[in-house]
Amino acid sequence: MSLALVAAVGSCSGSASSGDVQADTLLLTESEVAVPYDVLRMPYALTTDGQRLVVANSPQASTLIDVYSLTGDSVTSGLRVGQGPGERQMVEGLCYDATASAVQIRTGAADAVEMLRGIDGSGLEIDRKIVFDAACGSDTVAPASFALRMADGHVVLGNTTSDGLLAILRPDGSLERYAAQYPDISGFGDMPQWGVFNFLRPNGGVSPDGRHFAALFGSNDMICFGSLDGDTVAVKVNYGEKPGGIKWVTRDGYGTFDIAPERKVHFAGNPVLTDGHVHVIYSGMNYADHSAYFWKKNDGDELLSTDFRVYDFDGNLTRVYRLPMKIGGFTVTPGDSDMYAIVDSETEGYRIFRFALPD
């Protein structure tokens, strides 16, 4: 199939969260299959260095990583599922790191940055570097969810203490600052601190040049933007609608979330950073509708679509796109020319589609 772009189909006046200004929604109407169903396993997330697609598979597949050319040819595979040496239980996210000629992968290890090397076919291996040692670091930092390395050695950690949802470490491992203060959580009831963090759990990524990072916070109306500024990291957070409709309840001795069906879900998945922008999937649905939509597949009676938003590194909304299909994980080439997205259909199974993005 050929690739085409149709002009604005409407307007999107975003919430206060995103520093959003009114922006036309551009509809991407045609696409082409970059990786067909018969070579994919169970794709969950992906990234690209502009020459290859690095695909993370669901733990139900025996191998967590597959690498393909941009035209769908297999390059290499590796990283077995398990708990033994050189194995991992899952890959939660990944982003290309041009400064290291490798891919940063997130496997739930919050005290270490893990680099996946050998995506060129020379042999996949993980270079694991411990970045936080509680014995010599700040006793107020409690790392969780991810660790991201920036170009000069700064590290961004998810942080479970009330000081901030993120902790920024200097290249020597010392604490530089906390970032992303907790939003108004007065509607959370008696939820313990770890429960609040888990609900706002950040998902982050870095730009290929390692000079910028971004984080989303558990589908809530918050986006964090960070950039290297001299010998420190400048951080901005766009706060919007507070995360209401959430209560902490105890049933049979176990604590759990009680989520009102009208609670609004804003952003989903992981941010994708390129050389110049931050790309995020936008939901905007209430919780009940979002949950139902999550299980739908393409090719049914209902026409599905996905909106995603593009921000500059200062947090300003620059574009809104709409894809004429529901997608899972996605990535964008470093120069913002092409988007690759995982699509699951009832008739064709998993495929990876390519969309050309306008200049």
Side-chain angles (χ1 to χ4, degrees):
M1 288 183 287
S2 63
L3 292 144
L5 175 75
V6 171
V9 297
S11 65
C12 176
S13 54
S15 65
S17 87
S18 331
D20 292 348
V21 295
Q22 196 168 38
D24 288 330
T25 299
L26 300 177
L27 178 63
L28 304 178
T29 58
E30 295 187 23
S31 59
E32 65 181 8
V33 176
V35 186
Y37 74 94
D38 55 346
V39 299
L40 289 168
R41 304 185 204 229
M42 302 184 72
Y44 171 75
L46 70 165
T47 191
T48 180
D49 62 353
Q51 302 179 62
R52 293 163 283 261
L53 294 172
V54 183
V55 179
N57 293 315
S58 163
Q60 296 176 359
S62 59
T63 302
L64 288 172
I65 297 292
D66 289 318
V67 183
Y68 304 95
S69 70
L70 296 183
T71 55
D73 297 319
S74 178
V75 175
T76 188
S77 297
L79 193 55
R80 300 281 299 179
V81 177
Q83 301 183 52
E87 298 176 337
R88 295 296 183 272
Q89 291 183 284
M90 68 180 301
V91 173
E92 297 177 353
L94 64 178
C95 55
Y96 176 61
D97 184 340
T99 66
S101 298
V103 171
Q104 293 191 35
I105 62 173
R106 300 192 301 281
T107 62
D111 62 343
V113 171
E114 297 190 316
M115 295 285 189
L116 181 69
R117 303 189 184 279
I119 63 172
D120 59 355
S122 58
L124 294 179
E125 60 179 6
I126 293 180
D127 180 7
R128 188 173 192 270
K129 180 181 179 182
I130 300 293
V131 294
F132 179 80
D133 185 346
C136 60
S138 170
D139 59 5
T140 62
V141 176
S145 77
F146 69 81
L148 296 169
R149 170 193 172 274
M150 301 188 73
D152 70 341
H154 272 86
V155 173
V156 184
L157 299 174
N159 176 60
T160 60
T161 72
S162 58
D163 299 286
L165 289 161
L166 301 176
I168 313 295
L169 305 184
R170 300 183 183 93
D172 64 5
S174 62
L175 176 67
E176 177 176 292
R177 61 179 296 191
Y178 294 102
Q181 67 183 22
Y182 281 76
D184 180 359
I185 54 175
S186 56
F188 279 47
D190 297 326
M191 189 182 299
Q193 176 64 35
W194 61 266
V196 175
F197 177 85
N198 283 341
F199 200 89
L200 299 171
R201 182 182 179 88
N203 292 313
V206 297
S207 60
D209 64 5
R211 298 196 57 81
H212 309 276
F213 80 87
L216 304 177
F217 297 89
S219 78
N220 292 280
D221 200 1
M222 298 169 56
I223 307 182
C224 178
F225 304 87
S227 298
L228 293 179
D229 183 10
D231 59 358
T232 187
V233 178
V235 178
K236 174 185 179 182
V237 183
N238 290 345
Y239 293 95
E241 182 180 355
K242 71 177 184 178
I246 307 140
K247 293 184 179 179
W248 181 256
V249 295
T250 302
R251 298 189 181 101
D252 300 325
Y254 292 93
T256 186
F257 302 120
D258 187 3
I259 304 173
E262 66 272 13
R263 175 186 180 267
K264 193 172 183 181
V265 175
H266 292 85
F267 302 100
N270 297 306
V272 172
L273 281 76
T274 61
D275 290 336
H277 296 92
V278 177
H279 304 252
V280 296
I281 292 178
Y282 180 76
S283 169
M285 300 179 184
N286 63 46
Y287 180 78
D289 290 343
H290 180 86
S291 297
Y293 199 74
F294 178 82
W295 296 105
K296 293 182 183 294
K297 292 186 179 182
N298 295 280
D299 298 339
D301 295 333
E302 180 183 354
L303 293 177
L304 306 181
S305 63
T306 302
D307 286 1
F308 76 99
R309 297 185 175 189
V310 184
Y311 297 87
D312 63 24
F313 293 134
D314 292 323
N316 301 305
L317 181 67
T318 62
R319 284 190 175 178
V320 180
Y321 295 111
R322 178 167 297 156
L323 308 183
M325 57 187 70
K326 179 175 173 288
I327 68 171
F330 76 99
T331 188
V332 180
T333 51
D336 290 307
S337 62
D338 296 284
M339 175 185 179
Y340 292 84
I342 299 169
V343 175
D344 186 11
S345 77
E346 293 179 340
T347 58
E348 296 291 341
Y350 288 112
R351 290 170 293 171
I352 295 177
F353 278 74
R354 180 175 72 90
F355 296 87
L357 301 180
D359 295 331

PDB file of all heavy atoms in Angstrom, residues 16 22 28-29 46 59 65 68 70 79 98 117 134 161 171 176 191 202 221 267 269 277 306 322:
ATOM      1  N   ALA A  16      -5.051  21.098  30.426  1.00  0.00           N
ATOM      2  CA  ALA A  16      -3.987  21.956  30.931  1.00  0.00           C
ATOM      3  C   ALA A  16      -2.710  21.188  31.120  1.00  0.00           C
ATOM      4  O   ALA A  16      -1.648  21.758  31.247  1.00  0.00           O
ATOM      5  CB  ALA A  16      -4.434  22.592  32.247  1.00  0.00           C
ATOM      6  N   GLN A  22      -4.492  24.808  21.067  1.00  0.00           N
ATOM      7  CA  GLN A  22      -5.391  24.207  20.102  1.00  0.00           C
ATOM      8  C   GLN A  22      -4.582  23.757  18.894  1.00  0.00           C
ATOM      9  O   GLN A  22      -3.787  24.515  18.346  1.00  0.00           O
ATOM     10  CB  GLN A  22      -6.457  25.207  19.690  1.00  0.00           C
ATOM     11  CG  GLN A  22      -7.640  24.554  18.987  1.00  0.00           C
ATOM     12  CD  GLN A  22      -8.803  25.508  18.847  1.00  0.00           C
ATOM     13  OE1 GLN A  22      -8.592  26.686  18.598  1.00  0.00           O
ATOM     14  NE2 GLN A  22     -10.011  25.015  19.014  1.00  0.00           N
ATOM     15  N   LEU A  28      -3.600  10.200   9.373  1.00  0.00           N
ATOM     16  CA  LEU A  28      -2.736   9.387   8.521  1.00  0.00           C
ATOM     17  C   LEU A  28      -3.590   8.251   7.971  1.00  0.00           C
ATOM     18  O   LEU A  28      -3.989   7.357   8.721  1.00  0.00           O
ATOM     19  CB  LEU A  28      -1.552   8.849   9.319  1.00  0.00           C
ATOM     20  CG  LEU A  28      -0.686   9.898  10.021  1.00  0.00           C
ATOM     21  CD1 LEU A  28       0.431   9.231  10.807  1.00  0.00           C
ATOM     22  CD2 LEU A  28      -0.090  10.879   9.024  1.00  0.00           C
ATOM     23  N   THR A  29      -3.879   8.273   6.690  1.00  0.00           N
ATOM     24  CA  THR A  29      -4.920   7.399   6.152  1.00  0.00           C
ATOM     25  C   THR A  29      -4.409   6.097   5.562  1.00  0.00           C
ATOM     26  O   THR A  29      -5.144   5.123   5.505  1.00  0.00           O
ATOM     27  CB  THR A  29      -5.720   8.123   5.062  1.00  0.00           C
ATOM     28  OG1 THR A  29      -4.828   8.541   4.022  1.00  0.00           O
ATOM     29  CG2 THR A  29      -6.421   9.334   5.647  1.00  0.00           C
ATOM     30  N   LEU A  46       8.681  -1.560  20.883  1.00  0.00           N
ATOM     31  CA  LEU A  46       9.741  -1.520  19.881  1.00  0.00           C
ATOM     32  C   LEU A  46      10.441  -0.168  19.894  1.00  0.00           C
ATOM     33  O   LEU A  46       9.924   0.818  20.417  1.00  0.00           O
ATOM     34  CB  LEU A  46       9.214  -1.822  18.485  1.00  0.00           C
ATOM     35  CG  LEU A  46       8.310  -0.820  17.760  1.00  0.00           C
ATOM     36  CD1 LEU A  46       8.232  -1.189  16.271  1.00  0.00           C
ATOM     37  CD2 LEU A  46       6.912  -0.800  18.338  1.00  0.00           C
ATOM     38  N   PRO A  59       6.461 -11.882  27.572  1.00  0.00           N
ATOM     39  CA  PRO A  59       7.142 -13.001  28.243  1.00  0.00           C
ATOM     40  C   PRO A  59       6.597 -14.368  27.839  1.00  0.00           C
ATOM     41  O   PRO A  59       7.226 -15.384  28.109  1.00  0.00           O
ATOM     42  CB  PRO A  59       6.891 -12.719  29.729  1.00  0.00           C
ATOM     43  CG  PRO A  59       6.643 -11.258  29.816  1.00  0.00           C
ATOM     44  CD  PRO A  59       5.927 -10.908  28.543  1.00  0.00           C
ATOM     45  N   ILE A  65      13.705 -10.588  22.692  1.00  0.00           N
ATOM     46  CA  ILE A  65      14.131  -9.574  21.725  1.00  0.00           C
ATOM     47  C   ILE A  65      14.280 -10.165  20.333  1.00  0.00           C
ATOM     48  O   ILE A  65      14.920 -11.202  20.144  1.00  0.00           O
ATOM     49  CB  ILE A  65      15.475  -8.926  22.147  1.00  0.00           C
ATOM     50  CG1 ILE A  65      15.341  -8.195  23.481  1.00  0.00           C
ATOM     51  CG2 ILE A  65      15.973  -7.975  21.056  1.00  0.00           C
ATOM     52  CD1 ILE A  65      14.456  -6.959  23.443  1.00  0.00           C
ATOM     53  N   TYR A  68      14.818  -6.658  13.451  1.00  0.00           N
ATOM     54  CA  TYR A  68      14.486  -6.759  12.030  1.00  0.00           C
ATOM     55  C   TYR A  68      15.064  -5.558  11.287  1.00  0.00           C
ATOM     56  O   TYR A  68      15.268  -4.486  11.864  1.00  0.00           O
ATOM     57  CB  TYR A  68      12.968  -6.772  11.819  1.00  0.00           C
ATOM     58  CG  TYR A  68      12.248  -7.863  12.566  1.00  0.00           C
ATOM     59  CD1 TYR A  68      11.681  -7.600  13.816  1.00  0.00           C
ATOM     60  CD2 TYR A  68      12.125  -9.148  12.038  1.00  0.00           C
ATOM     61  CE1 TYR A  68      11.012  -8.596  14.514  1.00  0.00           C
ATOM     62  CE2 TYR A  68      11.458 -10.146  12.727  1.00  0.00           C
ATOM     63  CZ  TYR A  68      10.906  -9.871  13.969  1.00  0.00           C
ATOM     64  OH  TYR A  68      10.243 -10.854  14.662  1.00  0.00           O
ATOM     65  N   LEU A  70      14.347  -2.595   8.428  1.00  0.00           N
ATOM     66  CA  LEU A  70      13.153  -1.769   8.234  1.00  0.00           C
ATOM     67  C   LEU A  70      12.216  -2.341   7.183  1.00  0.00           C
ATOM     68  O   LEU A  70      11.065  -1.899   7.067  1.00  0.00           O
ATOM     69  CB  LEU A  70      13.551  -0.336   7.858  1.00  0.00           C
ATOM     70  CG  LEU A  70      14.334   0.443   8.924  1.00  0.00           C
ATOM     71  CD1 LEU A  70      14.601   1.867   8.440  1.00  0.00           C
ATOM     72  CD2 LEU A  70      13.598   0.465  10.263  1.00  0.00           C
ATOM     73  N   LEU A  79      18.011 -13.004  24.184  1.00  0.00           N
ATOM     74  CA  LEU A  79      17.526 -12.705  25.527  1.00  0.00           C
ATOM     75  C   LEU A  79      16.383 -13.642  25.905  1.00  0.00           C
ATOM     76  O   LEU A  79      15.206 -13.347  25.709  1.00  0.00           O
ATOM     77  CB  LEU A  79      17.097 -11.250  25.660  1.00  0.00           C
ATOM     78  CG  LEU A  79      16.875 -10.746  27.108  1.00  0.00           C
ATOM     79  CD1 LEU A  79      18.098 -10.967  27.957  1.00  0.00           C
ATOM     80  CD2 LEU A  79      16.477  -9.299  27.110  1.00  0.00           C
ATOM     81  N   ALA A  98      21.985   6.468  20.977  1.00  0.00           N
ATOM     82  CA  ALA A  98      23.018   6.637  19.956  1.00  0.00           C
ATOM     83  C   ALA A  98      24.387   6.869  20.566  1.00  0.00           C
ATOM     84  O   ALA A  98      25.410   6.527  19.962  1.00  0.00           O
ATOM     85  CB  ALA A  98      22.654   7.803  19.032  1.00  0.00           C
ATOM     86  N   ARG A 117      23.365  -4.599  23.626  1.00  0.00           N
ATOM     87  CA  ARG A 117      24.331  -4.381  22.552  1.00  0.00           C
ATOM     88  C   ARG A 117      24.227  -5.490  21.509  1.00  0.00           C
ATOM     89  O   ARG A 117      23.670  -6.545  21.773  1.00  0.00           O
ATOM     90  CB  ARG A 117      25.751  -4.306  23.113  1.00  0.00           C
ATOM     91  CG  ARG A 117      25.907  -3.216  24.185  1.00  0.00           C
ATOM     92  CD  ARG A 117      27.369  -3.005  24.572  1.00  0.00           C
ATOM     93  NE  ARG A 117      27.499  -2.033  25.651  1.00  0.00           N
ATOM     94  CZ  ARG A 117      27.468  -0.719  25.475  1.00  0.00           C
ATOM     95  NH1 ARG A 117      27.315  -0.226  24.265  1.00  0.00           N
ATOM     96  NH2 ARG A 117      27.588   0.103  26.508  1.00  0.00           N
ATOM     97  N   ALA A 134      22.409   2.110  47.654  1.00  0.00           N
ATOM     98  CA  ALA A 134      21.826   2.721  48.849  1.00  0.00           C
ATOM     99  C   ALA A 134      22.852   2.920  49.949  1.00  0.00           C
ATOM    100  O   ALA A 134      22.719   3.817  50.791  1.00  0.00           O
ATOM    101  CB  ALA A 134      20.669   1.866  49.361  1.00  0.00           C
ATOM    102  N   THR A 161       9.619   7.699  47.237  1.00  0.00           N
ATOM    103  CA  THR A 161       9.394   8.516  48.426  1.00  0.00           C
ATOM    104  C   THR A 161       8.567   9.749  48.078  1.00  0.00           C
ATOM    105  O   THR A 161       8.401  10.105  46.911  1.00  0.00           O
ATOM    106  CB  THR A 161      10.723   8.979  49.060  1.00  0.00           C
ATOM    107  OG1 THR A 161      11.320   9.979  48.229  1.00  0.00           O
ATOM    108  CG2 THR A 161      11.683   7.813  49.226  1.00  0.00           C
ATOM    109  N   PRO A 171      26.467  12.351  37.510  1.00  0.00           N
ATOM    110  CA  PRO A 171      27.299  11.274  36.958  1.00  0.00           C
ATOM    111  C   PRO A 171      28.092  10.502  38.007  1.00  0.00           C
ATOM    112  O   PRO A 171      28.422   9.326  37.785  1.00  0.00           O
ATOM    113  CB  PRO A 171      28.230  12.022  35.985  1.00  0.00           C
ATOM    114  CG  PRO A 171      27.409  13.194  35.535  1.00  0.00           C
ATOM    115  CD  PRO A 171      26.643  13.617  36.749  1.00  0.00           C
ATOM    116  N   GLU A 176      21.262  14.776  42.756  1.00  0.00           N
ATOM    117  CA  GLU A 176      21.238  16.176  42.355  1.00  0.00           C
ATOM    118  C   GLU A 176      19.952  16.851  42.806  1.00  0.00           C
ATOM    119  O   GLU A 176      19.971  17.939  43.379  1.00  0.00           O
ATOM    120  CB  GLU A 176      21.364  16.299  40.831  1.00  0.00           C
ATOM    121  CG  GLU A 176      21.275  17.737  40.329  1.00  0.00           C
ATOM    122  CD  GLU A 176      21.498  17.850  38.829  1.00  0.00           C
ATOM    123  OE1 GLU A 176      22.639  17.602  38.396  1.00  0.00           O
ATOM    124  OE2 GLU A 176      20.528  18.157  38.108  1.00  0.00           O
ATOM    125  N   MET A 191      -4.757   5.640  51.022  1.00  0.00           N
ATOM    126  CA  MET A 191      -3.802   4.842  50.261  1.00  0.00           C
ATOM    127  C   MET A 191      -2.390   5.046  50.791  1.00  0.00           C
ATOM    128  O   MET A 191      -1.954   6.168  50.985  1.00  0.00           O
ATOM    129  CB  MET A 191      -3.862   5.224  48.784  1.00  0.00           C
ATOM    130  CG  MET A 191      -3.066   4.302  47.873  1.00  0.00           C
ATOM    131  SD  MET A 191      -3.121   4.818  46.122  1.00  0.00           S
ATOM    132  CE  MET A 191      -4.878   4.704  45.784  1.00  0.00           C
ATOM    133  N   PRO A 202       5.782   6.059  37.023  1.00  0.00           N
ATOM    134  CA  PRO A 202       6.294   6.698  35.808  1.00  0.00           C
ATOM    135  C   PRO A 202       6.864   5.709  34.802  1.00  0.00           C
ATOM    136  O   PRO A 202       7.454   4.693  35.161  1.00  0.00           O
ATOM    137  CB  PRO A 202       7.399   7.624  36.346  1.00  0.00           C
ATOM    138  CG  PRO A 202       7.833   6.994  37.629  1.00  0.00           C
ATOM    139  CD  PRO A 202       6.624   6.325  38.206  1.00  0.00           C
ATOM    140  N   ASP A 221      -2.783  12.716  34.032  1.00  0.00           N
ATOM    141  CA  ASP A 221      -2.627  13.921  33.227  1.00  0.00           C
ATOM    142  C   ASP A 221      -1.354  14.663  33.620  1.00  0.00           C
ATOM    143  O   ASP A 221      -1.396  15.794  34.101  1.00  0.00           O
ATOM    144  CB  ASP A 221      -3.857  14.813  33.414  1.00  0.00           C
ATOM    145  CG  ASP A 221      -4.024  15.818  32.290  1.00  0.00           C
ATOM    146  OD1 ASP A 221      -3.192  15.793  31.360  1.00  0.00           O
ATOM    147  OD2 ASP A 221      -4.966  16.613  32.335  1.00  0.00           O
ATOM    148  N   PHE A 267      -2.957   9.540  29.213  1.00  0.00           N
ATOM    149  CA  PHE A 267      -1.896   9.020  28.353  1.00  0.00           C
ATOM    150  C   PHE A 267      -1.671   7.540  28.617  1.00  0.00           C
ATOM    151  O   PHE A 267      -1.876   7.061  29.728  1.00  0.00           O
ATOM    152  CB  PHE A 267      -0.609   9.806  28.570  1.00  0.00           C
ATOM    153  CG  PHE A 267      -0.771  11.277  28.296  1.00  0.00           C
ATOM    154  CD1 PHE A 267      -0.938  12.179  29.328  1.00  0.00           C
ATOM    155  CD2 PHE A 267      -0.793  11.748  27.000  1.00  0.00           C
ATOM    156  CE1 PHE A 267      -1.108  13.529  29.085  1.00  0.00           C
ATOM    157  CE2 PHE A 267      -0.966  13.095  26.736  1.00  0.00           C
ATOM    158  CZ  PHE A 267      -1.121  13.990  27.786  1.00  0.00           C
ATOM    159  N   GLY A 269       0.873   3.950  27.828  1.00  0.00           N
ATOM    160  CA  GLY A 269       2.130   3.401  27.346  1.00  0.00           C
ATOM    161  C   GLY A 269       3.338   4.231  27.728  1.00  0.00           C
ATOM    162  O   GLY A 269       3.362   4.908  28.751  1.00  0.00           O
ATOM    163  N   HIS A 277      11.707  15.609  19.321  1.00  0.00           N
ATOM    164  CA  HIS A 277      10.357  15.639  19.861  1.00  0.00           C
ATOM    165  C   HIS A 277      10.088  14.496  20.836  1.00  0.00           C
ATOM    166  O   HIS A 277      10.832  13.519  20.897  1.00  0.00           O
ATOM    167  CB  HIS A 277       9.322  15.591  18.733  1.00  0.00           C
ATOM    168  CG  HIS A 277       9.349  16.779  17.833  1.00  0.00           C
ATOM    169  ND1 HIS A 277      10.098  16.820  16.676  1.00  0.00           N
ATOM    170  CD2 HIS A 277       8.740  17.993  17.925  1.00  0.00           C
ATOM    171  CE1 HIS A 277       9.949  17.990  16.087  1.00  0.00           C
ATOM    172  NE2 HIS A 277       9.133  18.721  16.817  1.00  0.00           N
ATOM    173  N   THR A 306      -6.293   5.553  16.778  1.00  0.00           N
ATOM    174  CA  THR A 306      -5.391   5.925  17.862  1.00  0.00           C
ATOM    175  C   THR A 306      -4.920   7.350  17.654  1.00  0.00           C
ATOM    176  O   THR A 306      -4.494   7.701  16.546  1.00  0.00           O
ATOM    177  CB  THR A 306      -4.157   4.999  17.910  1.00  0.00           C
ATOM    178  OG1 THR A 306      -4.581   3.643  18.057  1.00  0.00           O
ATOM    179  CG2 THR A 306      -3.242   5.363  19.074  1.00  0.00           C
ATOM    180  N   ARG A 322      -3.825  11.230  14.063  1.00  0.00           N
ATOM    181  CA  ARG A 322      -4.785  10.147  14.279  1.00  0.00           C
ATOM    182  C   ARG A 322      -4.501   9.040  13.278  1.00  0.00           C
ATOM    183  O   ARG A 322      -4.442   9.272  12.067  1.00  0.00           O
ATOM    184  CB  ARG A 322      -6.222  10.633  14.130  1.00  0.00           C
ATOM    185  CG  ARG A 322      -7.276   9.517  14.308  1.00  0.00           C
ATOM    186  CD  ARG A 322      -8.666  10.106  14.467  1.00  0.00           C
ATOM    187  NE  ARG A 322      -8.716  10.922  15.677  1.00  0.00           N
ATOM    188  CZ  ARG A 322      -9.589  11.908  15.877  1.00  0.00           C
ATOM    189  NH1 ARG A 322     -10.467  12.213  14.930  1.00  0.00           N
ATOM    190  NH2 ARG A 322      -9.579  12.602  16.991  1.00  0.00           N
TER     191      ARG A 322
END
